[in-house]
Amino acid sequence: MNKRITTRRTLRLTVSVWMCLALAAGLWGCAAQTAYREGQERAAEGHWPQALQRFAEAARLEPGSAQYRIAELRARDRLVTDALQRGDRAREQGKAAEAEEAYRTALTLHASNERALQGLRLLDQHQRLGRILKAAEAAMARSDWVNARARLQEVLHEEPRHRRASELLHRVTEAARVADESAEPNLSEAYRKPISIEFRDTPIKTVFEVLARSSGLNFVFDKEVRADQKVSVYLKNSSVEAAVNTVLATNQLDQKVIDAHTVMVYPNTPAKQKEYQPLAVRSFYLANADAKTVSNTLKSLLKMRDVVADEKLNLVIVRDTRNAIRVAEKVVALHDVPEAEVMLEVEVMEVKRTRLLDLGVRWPEQLSLTPLPAATGGTLTLADLRHLNASGVGATLGSASINARKSDTDANILANPRIRARNREKAKIHIGERVPNITTTSTSTGFVSESVNYVDVGLKLDVEPTIYLDDEVGIKITLEVSSIISQVQTKSGTLAYQIGTRSATTVLRLKDGENQVLAGLISDEERSTANKLPGLGEVPLLGRLFGNSADDANKTEVVLSITPRVVRNLHRPAAAAQEFDSGTESEIGGRGTDRGAGAAAPVGQRMPGAVGEPGNAPPAMPTTANSSTGVGSGSTAATPAATATGMGMAEVISGTMAGAGVVQAQWIGPSKAQIGQTLKIEVLLRADEPVMAAPMVIGLDPQVFQVTGVGEGPFLRQGGAVTGFSSQVDPSGKVTITASRAGASGATAPAVAAELTLKVLARPPGGTTRIALQSLAAMGVNGQALRGQLPPALELAIQP
């Protein structure tokens, strides 16, 4: 008895434990469900951080639930995406602290997120490049053009699209030579010393001895330079640099800078070039051009020594002299430009109209008489035909029907795709179906096989645009509209399709935004079918009672409307970038940039201490009319010579070095405007020296103005010259204008250079907005930069 009681108590205890566990599990599941519902509510309200917490709580309480886990992952991904977008926006706006905080938030949610890590790397790069840019600006402030150019190139090597660095590099220009910075100042000062020499059949070492005494430089000769080599040279009002380069060039010699006071002279032979000529390695990370194409261009055009193309990284690495690399940079810059793109707005309409009139009485068309078999059930004989009567012949008469049907159908099938295509690249559109077409093949042995081919049925449109520099687009169009007319069944039971097709192929050229409609693909069918009783069916009006007529008319027309809109066109480079000195056939880039004189002043800028600067007049240089060797003697002051370099040329005018000319800009436009009004703003230029190119950048508020047109004024077209003019409007409100002039003479008379047509969109908070000329980089006849005087910003009062 006690044993039974113990067993019952144990059983009750076990049941209680299981009930408690089940109740706890239910409560646990209810808590997870509650957390999930709360997370959904927070997500619907847009409070994603709280939603993520509740989803994570639900997933923790019920780890096996895929629903809770997916909700947690989606919320986490949403928060990471929002943080990355905030970081990108802040980085583009220059808010480094805000961007870093957003990227750190993304890494908190997803520790290994590559976009967040890349964003932090870009922030670090931006700060580092900012420090380099400040160093370049400081170098420009103290007229250290070589150092400034090196710093700016360092920035552009890492970030080729850095706007500020590009603008500063344009100001510094490419006239500074690349040489040893510690040796260049003293060497360039010695090379700029004026000199007049006359030598006739003089040993070359004697000539260099005289040049050494005049310049204070040391000339060291390679052992293979012949001591008996004779030189004849006559230079008046020249410089030490010109004399050295002339002697070297006429005697197949070359030079290498050893230090600030020493130059090595060696034979200009391939073996000696390999021994003395320094080489550099330069890598070009291409953003738009193809690495293989660029490498082939460098090999064929510049005959560079070593060129390697990495197609996977789209990278080109070259190894050559610094002169050759400088020229290669310009060639690559011409190649590596974004391709032109166009958006084609296409509208295809198929208008189909069907008219059907089926009216009348369809009477039986035939009466069939059949002799009935004999009553005995035997075969009908010819003798039985003699006894045939009405009761022995069976009659079969077709049915009669009354038709009264009229249908009127209009169909308008519209396709309105938008295709964005690159220049000279094909784009295809197919809207329809792929219909199977079964082909049966049988052999003499009885083997039968079937193959399925698919035929495209519907609308097929192939376009191939060609974008021209004048914003016109040539388009090669192939349009095909097909449909299934009927099905045909073969003897073997296989279905085939009868397909109707209309196609058109044409080539047209349209302006940006110009619309063209191609129509006339018309299919017009009219069918009339009649079923009448002879005689009675021909009676007017009443004939409908004794016959049936069906009139069917089908008319279909296909209309194609196409409008090209140029998204991005090829930006025509400045005239100075299109044509530049590449050196000689044997020496790319010219003589002396790496191994000779110091840095020449950038185009349009003066080097401190240069000949012709105020307070730096050249010393008197003796000259003589008849001297076989040596420096002339006398007391006549020589005019300082023009220093010809591989990058530019400084002019000598009336005994002083020519400074940069001045180009003045002036606004012509209204001071008040109303919302919705279209304005015309003009930039007038006047110059004291001839101008060959006048690129400029204009900045305005894109929230206030919409640029509806940029036109060229008559400034560069003076004298009937041929000009090149292009413009680009950035969404940020920057208008970049490139204008150049062909020929040998420039423009000087005051005239309008550029015309802007603006539409006023809104009124700024203060009611007044500004249009500023941010930069004006004019260029003279010989490629020298002209100093641009920018006008004050044009203020406009916007009225409602």
Side-chain angles (χ1 to χ4, degrees):
M1 185 66 180
N2 293 333
K3 189 174 183 179
R4 291 179 180 177
I5 294 173
T6 303
T7 302
R8 290 176 180 174
R9 289 177 178 175
T10 304
L11 181 61
R12 291 174 181 171
L13 181 60
T14 303
V15 171
S16 299
V17 170
W18 281 107
M19 290 180 64
C20 290
L21 290 176
L23 181 61
L27 293 175
W28 195 276
C30 291
Q33 184 67 25
T34 302
Y36 176 73
R37 285 200 303 270
E38 292 177 355
Q40 287 183 317
E41 293 174 358
R42 299 294 182 273
E45 297 171 357
H47 301 154
W48 286 99
Q50 296 86 343
L52 176 61
Q53 294 178 357
R54 303 311 297 158
F55 289 146
E57 180 68 17
R60 185 184 63 82
L61 294 175
E62 195 171 334
S65 175
Q67 182 183 16
Y68 300 161
R69 181 60 178 165
I70 292 173
E72 179 188 3
L73 292 176
R74 287 180 177 174
R76 190 182 304 276
D77 183 69
R78 174 64 180 270
L79 288 174
V80 170
T81 303
D82 291 345
L84 292 175
Q85 291 177 351
R86 290 198 312 272
D88 292 342
R89 286 196 300 268
R91 179 171 55 82
E92 293 174 357
Q93 296 171 2
K95 302 175 181 178
E98 183 179 341
E100 182 177 1
E101 181 183 357
Y103 290 135
R104 297 292 182 190
T105 302
L107 289 175
T108 303
L109 298 170
H110 186 189
S112 60
N113 188 273
E114 183 60 29
R115 280 188 58 190
L117 295 174
Q118 179 67 15
L120 291 176
R121 287 194 292 267
L122 290 176
L123 283 177
D124 180 69
Q125 180 192 44
H126 182 72
Q127 294 175 357
R128 180 166 48 82
L129 295 182
R131 292 191 294 268
I132 299 175
L133 203 60
K134 290 182 179 179
E137 292 176 346
M140 292 175 62
R142 60 176 183 270
S143 300
D144 188 356
W145 309 114
V146 175
N147 190 19
R149 182 176 184 271
R151 300 286 78 78
L152 293 173
Q153 281 191 332
E154 184 179 354
V155 174
L156 292 174
H157 286 173
E158 294 192 38
E159 193 174 344
R161 298 182 181 276
H162 199 291
R163 296 181 180 177
R164 180 61 177 168
S166 300
E167 293 174 359
L168 292 179
L169 185 60
H170 184 73
R171 296 180 185 177
V172 174
T173 72
E174 298 178 353
R177 296 183 182 180
V178 180
D180 185 8
E181 297 177 6
S182 62
E184 277 180 347
N186 294 333
L187 191 61
S188 62
E189 182 179 354
Y191 263 53
R192 284 197 301 268
K193 287 184 178 180
I195 191 173
S196 292
I197 57 176
E198 294 183 8
F199 293 100
R200 182 182 298 109
D201 295 331
T202 306
I204 190 170
K205 291 188 177 180
T206 303
V207 176
F208 276 103
E209 182 180 353
V210 173
L211 293 175
R213 289 199 302 267
S214 301
S215 62
L217 295 176
N218 302 317
F219 293 97
V220 181
F221 295 88
D222 183 85
K223 62 181 181 179
E224 295 187 8
V225 176
R226 293 186 295 110
D228 59 345
Q229 189 171 354
K230 299 297 182 65
V231 175
S232 296
V233 58
Y234 306 92
L235 295 175
K236 288 188 178 295
N237 300 330
S238 185
S239 64
V240 173
E241 179 186 15
V244 171
N245 288 336
T246 302
V247 173
L248 294 178
T250 56
N251 292 273
Q252 289 77 46
L253 300 175
D254 210 335
Q255 59 182 338
K256 178 183 178 181
V257 176
I258 303 300
D259 54 36
H261 304 281
T262 307
V263 177
M264 166 72 74
V265 178
Y266 61 91
N268 188 5
T269 61
K272 289 299 180 180
Q273 291 286 7
K274 291 182 180 180
E275 181 178 350
Y276 288 109
Q277 197 173 52
L279 302 179
V281 176
R282 173 77 159 88
S283 58
F284 298 96
Y285 285 89
L286 305 176
N288 304 285
D290 179 66
K292 190 173 181 180
T293 303
V294 173
S295 65
N296 292 336
T297 301
L298 296 178
K299 290 177 183 177
S300 60
L301 184 64
L302 302 182
K303 308 296 188 298
M304 303 199 75
R305 287 178 170 83
D306 302 305
V307 182
V308 177
D310 189 334
E311 297 185 36
K312 185 177 180 181
L313 298 177
N314 206 29
L315 166 69
V316 176
I317 303 176
V318 298
R319 181 174 181 265
D320 211 311
T321 63
R322 292 190 180 275
N323 284 345
I325 289 179
R326 297 286 83 80
V327 178
E329 288 177 352
K330 299 179 181 180
V331 174
V332 172
L334 293 176
H335 260 288
D336 195 24
V337 294
E339 291 191 46
E341 289 187 75
V342 62
M343 177 73 74
L344 298 177
E345 297 178 357
V346 182
E347 190 173 10
V348 182
M349 293 174 287
E350 183 178 7
V351 182
K352 186 174 182 180
R353 185 173 185 180
T354 303
R355 300 291 184 267
L356 175 62
L357 178 61
D358 190 359
L359 182 62
V361 180
R362 190 176 184 90
W363 295 94
E365 298 178 358
Q366 62 181 0
L367 175 64
S368 301
L369 300 177
T370 305
L372 297 177
T376 59
T379 304
L380 186 66
T381 63
L382 290 175
D384 295 336
L385 295 178
R386 293 182 298 176
H387 305 289
L388 284 177
N389 51 27
S391 60
V393 178
T396 303
L397 185 64
S399 61
S401 60
I402 299 176
N403 296 326
R405 180 165 66 98
K406 181 180 181 181
S407 62
D408 193 345
T409 305
D410 288 325
N412 189 353
I413 304 172
L414 174 65
N416 189 17
R418 293 166 59 90
I419 318 168
R420 181 165 177 170
R422 289 184 1 183
N423 188 27
R424 303 181 187 275
E425 295 287 344
K426 292 183 179 180
K428 298 183 179 181
I429 290 179
H430 176 217
I431 303 174
E433 301 174 348
R434 303 195 70 191
V435 179
N437 186 19
I438 302 175
T439 303
T440 303
T441 305
S442 61
T443 62
S444 58
T445 59
F447 176 76
V448 179
S449 63
E450 292 183 347
S451 61
V452 180
N453 297 320
Y454 289 91
V455 180
D456 293 332
V457 178
L459 170 66
K460 293 174 63 177
L461 180 65
D462 296 349
V463 293
E464 183 177 353
T466 301
I467 306 172
Y468 300 97
L469 290 178
D470 56 356
D471 284 342
E472 291 192 0
V473 183
I475 311 173
K476 183 178 181 181
I477 303 174
T478 301
L479 173 65
E480 179 180 331
V481 180
S482 57
S483 60
I484 299 175
I485 296 178
S486 62
Q487 294 182 354
V488 180
Q489 188 170 12
T490 63
K491 294 181 180 180
S492 61
T494 304
L495 288 178
Y497 299 95
Q498 182 182 359
I499 299 175
T501 303
R502 280 162 292 166
S503 62
T505 301
T506 185
V507 179
L508 48 88
R509 181 165 176 169
L510 303 175
K511 294 182 179 180
D512 181 21
E514 181 182 358
N515 177 261
Q516 179 63 50
V517 177
L518 304 177
L521 295 176
I522 301 175
S523 173
D524 195 353
E525 297 181 4
E526 291 186 4
R527 298 179 182 179
S528 181
T529 306
N531 241 336
K532 303 177 182 179
L533 289 177
L536 296 176
E538 303 295 337
V539 178
L541 298 178
L542 295 178
R544 290 284 185 177
L545 299 177
F546 301 99
N548 183 78
S549 297
D551 299 324
D552 188 3
N554 293 323
K555 185 176 182 179
T556 305
E557 180 179 7
V558 177
V559 179
L560 170 66
S561 171
I562 185 167
T563 304
R565 301 194 183 277
V566 178
V567 179
R568 177 176 57 240
N569 203 347
L570 186 65
H571 180 66
R572 191 192 299 267
Q578 298 181 47
E579 182 179 355
F580 49 85
D581 185 18
S582 64
T584 63
E585 185 70 22
S586 60
E587 186 176 5
I588 300 174
R591 174 183 297 272
T593 301
D594 291 331
R595 303 170 299 283
V603 176
Q605 301 288 350
R606 291 180 182 157
M607 181 171 292
V611 176
E613 287 286 347
N616 291 282
M621 183 174 60
T623 60
T624 182
N626 298 306
S627 177
S628 62
T629 177
V631 182
S633 60
S635 59
T636 304
T639 302
T643 304
T645 71
M647 304 298 292
M649 184 174 67
E651 297 180 354
V652 175
I653 301 177
S654 302
T656 59
M657 184 172 291
V662 179
V663 179
Q664 297 178 346
Q666 179 181 349
W667 290 109
I668 300 178
S671 59
K672 297 180 181 180
Q674 294 181 347
I675 299 175
Q677 182 181 356
T678 301
L679 307 177
K680 185 177 180 181
I681 308 295
E682 297 175 332
V683 180
L684 184 140
L685 297 183
R686 53 169 54 91
D688 56 6
E689 289 189 12
V691 178
M692 296 298 295
M696 62 186 71
V697 178
I698 300 174
L700 49 84
D701 189 351
Q703 304 296 329
V704 178
F705 298 107
Q706 177 187 358
V707 181
T708 58
V710 181
E712 180 184 7
F715 179 72
L716 291 177
R717 296 201 301 264
Q718 298 179 34
V722 178
T723 61
F725 185 87
S726 63
S727 62
Q728 184 176 2
V729 182
D730 192 87
S732 62
K734 186 174 76 171
V735 182
T736 303
I737 298 174
T738 302
S740 60
R741 168 189 175 102
S745 60
T748 56
V752 173
E755 302 173 350
L756 266 72
T757 307
L758 309 175
K759 183 178 181 181
V760 183
L761 301 178
R763 189 169 186 261
T768 303
T769 185
R770 291 186 172 189
I771 302 177
L773 185 61
Q774 297 178 352
S775 68
L776 173 60
M779 186 176 297
V781 175
N782 293 324
Q784 77 273 17
L786 304 179
R787 184 164 56 90
Q789 288 187 355
L790 304 182
L794 177 64
E795 294 190 357
L796 281 172
I798 308 300
Q799 302 174 354

